[in-house]
Amino acid sequence: MPPAQSRFFPREFSISQIQRFIPRKWKQGTIQYDKPSTSCKSNDSILETNTSSDESMINSLFISLKDFASQGHLLKAFKTFSLIQLHASSSYDLILQPIVCLLLSCTNLKSLPQGKQLHAQIISLGLEQHPIFVPKLVTFYSSFDLLADAHTITENSSILYPLPWNLLISAYVRNGLFGEALSAYKEMVDKGIRPDNFTYPSVLKACGEKLDLGFGREVHNSINASSAGWNLFVHNALVSMYGRFGEIDVARSLFDKMPEKDAVSWNTIISAYASRGMWEEAFELFESMRITSIEVNIITWNTIAGGYLRTGNFKRALDLLSHMRTCGVLLDSVAMLIGLGASSHIGVIKLGKEIHGSAIRSGCDGFDNVKNALITMYSRCKDLRHAYILFQIVENKSIITWNSMLSGYSHMDQSEEASFLFREMLLSGIEPSYVTIASILSLCARVANLQHGKEFHCYITKREEFKDYLLLWNALVDMYARSGKVVEAKRVFDLLSERDEVTFTSLIAGYGIQGEGKAALKVFEELERSQIKPDHITMVAVLSACSHSGLVIQGQRLFEKMLSVYGLSPQLEHYACMVDLFGRAGLLHKAKEIIKTMPCRPTPAMWATLIGACRIHGNTEIGEWAAEKLLEMRPKNSGYYVLIANMYAAAGHWNMLAKVRTSMRDLGVRKAPGCAWVDVGMGFSPFLVGDTSNPHAQKIYTLLDGLTELMKDAGYVASGDFGSEDESFDE
């Protein structure tokens, strides 16, 4: 039979281990008690001494328990708690704080079994309704997402203050269970428990996420009717909720009436405007925020910079990021994505490289979205070598990574490389998305690569998942239309059950390129009957179609209807179409009048259009006026100088021709040799004028001579004045 003293301690503890917890003065006191004493103490005095000793022992053990718990030694903490229980058998008050400490440790250390054992201990002691333990138990079970258990504890408690309910509602919201959060709030109110300022923010967030405007207004009314004073956190939540509902005016009214605002207040109202695409208001609020003494946080900076990126103000977005760095704000991955996006759109590779360097230093270059943005940036800035190096470095390439690289090749019109990469992607087991196909189809359209385009058409048709993506079918219509296969484009167009302005515009442009202006107008009329509003690009396509087909009256009517009927203000491209329309029809004075009266500055291409029309129709007066204006702009395009030279040569103005030659020489402009591509079945082969680098050059020129003879036999006569002076510019 074990000694009597060891029966009171757990078996895991030896006497020597227990003695470590006993203060030295207690040990000294014990030695003194063994000596015979001449004074006699009463029983009550001995009892008081024992009680005092127990409390001192418990305090010492509690300190050790907290130390073990803070260091993560949960097992030792529980063993210490067993000792505390032995000395606190006469009073539950002495074990409340140790249990709370253990429960918090189980929560922080994610120790579910031990926490449940502790809960069982609380129940066995009859303390499950104790106001200290109920909130702690709700927090414990919520931390493991055991919200049903947390709910049971809360609703079974007799506590009449809102803390446990606040914890439960907050846990529901944190886990995205907004309906359950609102149900818990209603149950709490039905029990007669009055919400406080810690209840409302979570409830308002749940209303916003559920888009429950009616109940949100009820909660708002209860806030106004409550005795609780004005609270910043509650009003921030109200502004956020109405912003989620799209009630921007209500959110702004609440914001403007706030006697105190913090960074969250400003960020909330700015985000509300941003989420609705109301960027001008968001930008104005941001500037107002910067005037105040409130520090702008990274979320607000990124929201506004992202807004400038979305609205196409790429330079302003980059300026804002630069200002962030000046203010000492460290760019996070979101800011870097915005900067890389802006850099890629305007082709500023220097800034893109600086952001790349920042990403490496901060470790953000390891994020997949940053890697993809870097690939896109280098591709868009025409540095495909670095883009491909980054692409190769990525170990686990996602579909977005492949799309970024494919988009780069597409952007640079490198169809062969894009096709090769697409095949490589398929071999790697990655299934293309609709973005992948649309990117390559647009490339096929631009380089008139009909063979690859047809292959992708078959690929789309065989896959059911692509049938609902109008973007792909629009790309197909555009590809066939640009390749001159307008009949195939119309066939795809007719098969579509859904169409938008892009679908119609692609077909209109296709008919326009083929000189079928009347067919283009019929498609435009069909667009109007479909209740689809044309955009600026549609108007360019239909005006260009009228120009190529000589439909002057129809084109003029459409131009006049742009503002009055369609609500579109004519832009530079539309004026250029009208100059071309009148110029082709020989109405040169009208073309001149368009240029003189339009609100924007003419481009070199517009002057060249008028010069070309003057040369064809023999109007030297207007042609010389346009030529002078074009020369004043000092363009770098050699074709413009050749056009002017041909006009002067045709009119016999040799002194002006000499002036053109001098301008070209002074500006360092050289005439680029003519270039053509031939599809030989295995891809496109480029040919330059006078090029002898091809190993089959001799055979090619022999074939070309034969073709030239056939063209002459067919009645083709080369236009002498277009090329009469070309040799003079091949310096």
Side-chain angles (χ1 to χ4, degrees):
M1 185 172 177
Q5 60 180 2
S6 66
R7 292 202 304 268
F8 295 96
F9 301 106
R11 292 181 180 177
E12 295 85 354
F13 283 83
S14 65
I15 296 297
S16 61
Q17 287 177 314
I18 294 168
Q19 286 177 345
R20 276 192 248 159
F21 297 106
I22 302 174
R24 185 176 299 169
K25 63 181 182 180
W26 292 4
K27 296 176 184 177
Q28 294 170 353
T30 304
I31 294 169
Q32 291 173 2
Y33 293 149
D34 293 336
K35 296 177 181 179
S37 176
T38 55
S39 62
C40 295
K41 297 182 179 179
S42 66
N43 290 335
D44 290 340
S45 177
I46 293 169
L47 211 63
E48 287 175 9
T49 303
N50 289 340
T51 303
S52 175
S53 298
D54 282 342
E55 289 182 5
S56 298
M57 173 71 83
I58 289 169
N59 289 334
S60 180
L61 290 171
F62 182 44
I63 292 170
S64 298
L65 185 148
K66 287 195 292 185
D67 288 341
F68 286 137
S70 65
Q71 294 168 16
H73 301 314
L74 202 55
L75 181 60
K76 291 182 179 179
F78 267 92
K79 289 179 178 179
T80 307
F81 175 67
S82 299
L83 290 175
I84 292 174
Q85 281 185 290
L86 287 174
H87 289 275
S89 56
S90 60
S91 173
Y92 287 151
D93 292 338
L94 296 174
I95 63 171
L96 294 180
Q97 288 305 319
I99 293 176
V100 168
C101 182
L102 282 174
L103 200 54
L104 288 174
S105 296
C106 291
T107 303
N108 296 332
L109 298 173
K110 295 294 181 184
S111 300
L112 180 60
Q114 291 87 340
K116 283 188 171 183
Q117 290 173 14
L118 203 58
H119 186 190
Q121 177 80 349
I122 291 169
I123 294 171
S124 67
L125 295 171
L127 299 174
E128 67 272 14
Q129 293 291 330
H130 198 288
I132 289 180
F133 292 136
V134 171
K136 297 294 186 293
L137 286 168
V138 172
T139 301
F140 169 72
Y141 283 107
S142 298
S143 69
F144 292 97
D145 297 335
L146 298 173
L147 300 184
D149 294 327
H151 197 133
T152 301
I153 292 168
T154 305
E155 66 182 356
N156 289 338
S157 71
S158 56
I159 297 174
L160 295 178
Y161 58 86
L163 176 59
W165 292 96
N166 292 348
L167 294 169
L168 178 65
I169 293 168
S170 175
Y172 276 132
V173 171
R174 193 167 56 249
N175 284 272
L177 301 171
F178 306 113
E180 288 80 351
L182 296 180
S183 297
Y185 171 76
K186 293 172 185 176
E187 186 179 350
M188 166 188 170
V189 174
D190 290 342
K191 282 178 173 284
I193 298 171
R194 184 175 298 174
D196 61 11
N197 287 332
F198 294 98
T199 314
Y200 292 123
S202 295
V203 176
L204 292 170
K205 180 176 175 59
C207 291
E209 294 295 336
K210 286 283 288 182
L211 298 179
D212 192 340
L213 178 58
F215 192 67
R217 284 175 172 162
E218 284 183 29
V219 177
H220 189 181
N221 291 334
S222 70
I223 292 169
N224 292 335
S226 70
S227 58
W230 184 89
N231 183 271
L232 176 63
F233 302 108
V234 174
H235 271 68
N236 283 344
L238 279 169
V239 173
S240 177
M241 180 188 74
Y242 282 110
R244 288 282 297 169
F245 293 149
E247 299 279 336
I248 303 296
D249 293 338
V250 179
R252 182 61 183 269
S253 176
L254 287 166
F255 174 81
D256 290 338
K257 292 176 183 176
M258 291 172 70
E260 177 190 351
K261 302 180 181 75
D262 62 0
V264 176
S265 314
W266 286 97
N267 188 51
T268 301
I269 191 65
I270 289 171
S271 297
Y273 279 114
S275 65
R276 296 284 157 179
M278 302 171 70
W279 289 109
E280 289 303 320
E281 292 84 352
F283 296 152
E284 288 175 9
L285 278 166
F286 176 71
E287 294 303 325
S288 300
M289 180 183 181
R290 291 176 67 182
I291 294 171
T292 67
S293 58
I294 295 173
E295 184 179 354
V296 182
N297 61 25
I298 187 67
I299 298 173
T300 311
W301 282 109
N302 287 344
T303 300
I304 297 301
Y308 284 122
L309 180 66
R310 283 174 175 267
T311 54
N313 195 343
F314 308 120
K315 187 178 183 302
R316 184 72 182 110
L318 291 171
D319 289 343
L320 203 63
L321 293 178
S322 177
H323 192 71
M324 285 171 64
R325 296 174 69 179
T326 304
C327 294
V329 179
L330 294 176
L331 301 187
D332 62 1
S333 60
V334 176
M336 289 178 186
L337 289 172
I338 294 168
L340 290 170
S343 299
S344 65
H345 275 93
I346 57 179
V348 187
I349 194 168
K350 183 180 177 183
L351 283 175
K353 286 182 175 180
E354 288 180 10
I355 296 171
H356 188 181
S358 297
I360 293 171
R361 287 190 295 273
S362 64
C364 291
D365 63 321
F367 299 145
D368 288 342
N369 52 2
V370 174
K371 290 177 184 176
N372 296 335
L374 282 167
I375 293 169
T376 301
M377 185 275 295
Y378 281 111
S379 299
R380 290 286 182 89
C381 294
K382 302 180 181 180
D383 190 350
L384 287 176
R385 186 175 69 87
H386 276 103
Y388 191 71
I389 290 171
L390 286 169
F391 174 78
Q392 291 288 75
I393 290 172
V394 179
E395 292 182 6
N396 299 315
K397 299 178 179 65
S398 66
I399 183 61
I400 300 173
T401 312
W402 288 96
N403 286 347
S404 299
M405 195 65 238
L406 284 167
S407 176
Y409 284 130
S410 177
H411 183 69
M412 295 293 291
D413 289 346
Q414 296 192 10
S415 60
E416 292 304 314
E417 289 83 351
S419 298
F420 177 81
L421 194 67
F422 180 79
R423 287 191 288 271
E424 188 179 337
M425 183 184 77
L426 292 178
L427 291 171
S428 70
I430 299 291
E431 284 294 320
S433 66
Y434 73 98
V435 177
T436 318
I437 306 297
S439 175
I440 298 181
L441 276 176
S442 64
L443 171 61
C444 294
R446 286 197 303 275
V447 301
N449 192 336
L450 192 59
Q451 180 59 38
H452 284 159
K454 285 181 176 180
E455 290 172 3
F456 284 112
H457 188 177
C458 294
Y459 188 88
I460 295 168
T461 306
K462 290 177 181 178
R463 279 159 175 78
E464 189 72 14
E465 64 268 23
F466 290 144
K467 72 173 186 178
D468 295 326
Y469 287 105
L470 185 58
L471 174 68
L472 288 182
W473 300 101
N474 285 345
L476 270 177
V477 173
D478 185 50
M479 186 271 298
Y480 281 120
R482 289 200 191 198
S483 301
K485 301 295 181 180
V486 73
V487 175
E488 283 81 354
K490 184 67 165 61
R491 187 177 295 120
V492 175
F493 178 89
D494 291 337
L495 289 172
L496 298 178
S497 57
E498 180 188 355
R499 301 170 186 141
D500 61 7
E501 68 274 10
V502 178
T503 323
F504 283 96
T505 301
S506 297
L507 190 59
I508 290 168
Y511 278 125
I513 292 170
Q514 297 298 311
E516 299 183 34
K518 291 182 179 179
L521 287 174
K522 285 183 180 179
V523 176
F524 185 81
E525 290 166 4
E526 187 179 348
L527 174 143
E528 291 183 300
R529 289 194 297 272
S530 302
Q531 302 297 311
I532 296 174
K533 183 183 176 182
D535 58 12
H536 284 93
I537 302 173
T538 309
M539 296 309 300
V540 169
V542 72
L543 289 174
S544 180
C546 291
S547 173
H548 283 82
S549 302
L551 302 175
V552 179
I553 296 173
Q554 294 90 329
Q556 199 165 358
R557 284 176 184 167
L558 285 169
F559 183 76
E560 291 167 356
K561 287 167 68 176
M562 277 188 68
L563 188 59
S564 59
V565 177
Y566 308 123
L568 300 170
S569 299
Q571 297 178 354
L572 183 64
E573 294 83 358
H574 306 105
Y575 288 109
C577 287
M578 293 307 295
V579 170
D580 188 45
L581 176 71
F582 289 133
R584 286 173 183 265
L587 303 172
L588 301 176
H589 287 282
K590 283 193 173 185
K592 179 180 178 181
E593 192 64 24
I594 288 284
I595 290 178
K596 291 177 70 176
T597 58
M598 67 181 189
C600 35
R601 187 185 179 202
T603 62
M606 197 177 290
W607 289 117
T609 299
L610 183 57
I611 293 168
C614 290
R615 188 195 60 77
I616 292 170
H617 296 287
N619 191 322
T620 310
E621 179 187 351
I622 296 178
E624 289 185 356
W625 171 74
E628 288 178 8
K629 297 291 186 182
L630 180 56
L631 289 172
E632 286 174 6
M633 300 179 78
R634 302 166 68 89
K636 294 292 185 181
N637 188 331
S638 62
Y640 295 149
Y641 294 94
V642 173
L643 182 63
I644 296 171
N646 286 338
M647 183 191 70
Y648 284 138
H653 294 174
W654 307 112
N655 57 332
M656 297 302 296
L657 178 61
K659 182 181 176 183
V660 173
R661 279 207 201 99
T662 303
S663 297
M664 286 186 71
R665 185 171 57 251
D666 292 345
L667 294 171
V669 178
R670 295 176 59 85
K671 180 183 178 297
C675 181
W677 286 267
V678 177
D679 186 358
V680 293
M682 297 297 291
F684 285 88
S685 297
F687 291 91
L688 299 175
V689 171
D691 184 15
T692 57
S693 61
N694 194 293
H696 304 290
Q698 189 61 42
K699 293 180 180 179
I700 291 170
Y701 283 114
T702 302
L703 180 60
L704 284 175
D705 290 339
L707 287 172
T708 303
E709 293 300 322
L710 289 173
M711 290 167 67
K712 288 179 180 179
D713 292 343
Y716 171 78
V717 179
S719 177
D721 52 3
F722 262 106
S724 59
E725 295 296 325
D726 278 4
E727 292 181 3
S728 302
F729 298 101
D730 291 335
E731 298 177 358

